[in-house]
């Protein structure tokens, strides 16, 4: 699995832990521990079963690790995104949602909502940008900024699970 082609699920089921984490670690923003702790659950019958096991690892983790995972995500359309300091996956996902083409008022509102959200919850607003557009993201930010903190952490983890599924689909070959 050292070449540039994507590994199959069968290859992931048979590989060493380091290779497994190298391929699947990036599914969870700056949190390769999710893949590392899921490695021992192999083999996986389907990509969906692999995704479910990864998400189970994430959900069973102590609150401190879950918070670390959520905090590893960048602010949407934030300073880091503008400066090119986010992961390639995050940058691509934000572009897909149109967050690189915001008008001045939209950028100001997202910046304000990011700050209010972070102040209230202690972590960035997380949404699966690839399944959204800028209008849906703005609407969700306006709504979720007043959510209950425990419910919002659960929502953020659910959004991370969606992000991971799309990234997993991109990371593996669907050839047998």
């Amino acid at each position: 699995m050292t070449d540039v082609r994507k590994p199959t699920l069968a290859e992931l089921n048979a590989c060493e832990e380091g290779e497994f984490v190298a391929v699947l670690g990036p599914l969870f923003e700056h949190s390769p521990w999710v893949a590392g702790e899921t490695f021992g659950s192999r083999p996986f019958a389907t990509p969906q079963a692999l995704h479910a096991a990864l998400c189970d690892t994430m959900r069973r983790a102590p609150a401190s690790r879950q918070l670390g995972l959520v905090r590893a995500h960048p602010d949407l359309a934030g300073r880091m995104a503008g400066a090119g300091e986010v992961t390639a996956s995050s940058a691509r996902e934000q572009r897909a949602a149109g967050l690189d083409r915001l008008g001045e008022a939209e950028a100001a509102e997202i910046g304000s909502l990011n700050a209010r959200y972070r102040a209230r919850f202690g972590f960035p607003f997380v949404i699966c940008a690839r399944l959204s557009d800028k209008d849906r993201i703005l609407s969700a930010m306006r709504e979720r900024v007043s959510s209950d903190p425990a419910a919002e952490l659960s929502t953020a983890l659910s959004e991370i699970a969606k992000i991971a599924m799309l990234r997993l689909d991109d990371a593996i070959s669907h050839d047998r």
Side-chain angles (χ1 to χ4, degrees):
M1 287 194 328
T2 56
D3 58 7
V4 294
R5 74 173 185 78
K6 297 175 187 179
T8 64
L9 182 61
E11 289 169 331
L12 284 173
N13 281 330
C15 72
E16 297 295 322
E17 183 174 3
E19 292 173 288
F20 187 87
V21 172
V23 171
L24 302 177
L27 304 183
F28 294 84
E29 198 85 4
H30 300 293
S31 301
W33 61 267
V34 178
E37 291 180 15
T38 304
F39 175 76
S41 298
R42 295 171 313 137
F44 303 101
T46 63
Q48 295 79 12
L50 170 56
H51 178 257
L54 290 161
C55 290
D56 185 56
T57 297
M58 173 186 72
R59 292 255 183 219
R60 285 185 298 101
S64 61
R65 281 200 119 171
Q66 291 176 345
L67 282 170
L69 169 59
V70 176
R71 288 178 179 145
H73 286 77
D75 285 334
L76 293 177
R79 179 195 55 76
M80 290 177 64
E85 297 172 358
V86 298
T87 65
S89 293
S90 285
R92 187 172 46 256
E93 291 157 358
Q94 289 195 35
R95 277 192 309 275
L99 295 179
D100 61 333
R101 298 177 302 280
L102 296 173
E104 199 172 308
E106 292 167 323
E109 184 177 10
I110 285 182
S112 174
L113 287 166
N114 275 334
R116 285 179 47 210
Y117 187 95
R118 199 177 269 278
R120 177 166 169 78
F121 300 110
F123 52 83
F125 176 83
V126 178
I127 192 168
C128 183
R130 281 171 60 182
L131 297 178
S132 302
D133 61 26
K134 65 183 178 179
D135 293 330
R136 183 167 175 223
I137 290 168
L138 269 167
S139 177
M141 290 180 89
R142 290 179 196 121
E143 180 181 321
R144 288 173 47 194
V145 75
S146 60
S147 293
D148 171 75
E152 193 54 29
L153 176 60
S154 179
T155 298
L157 294 174
S158 294
E159 292 297 318
I160 290 169
K162 293 175 192 176
I163 294 165
M165 185 67 226
L166 293 170
R167 289 179 179 182
L168 175 62
D169 191 53
D170 292 343
I172 64 172
S173 171
H174 297 281
D175 297 335
R176 294 238 168 224

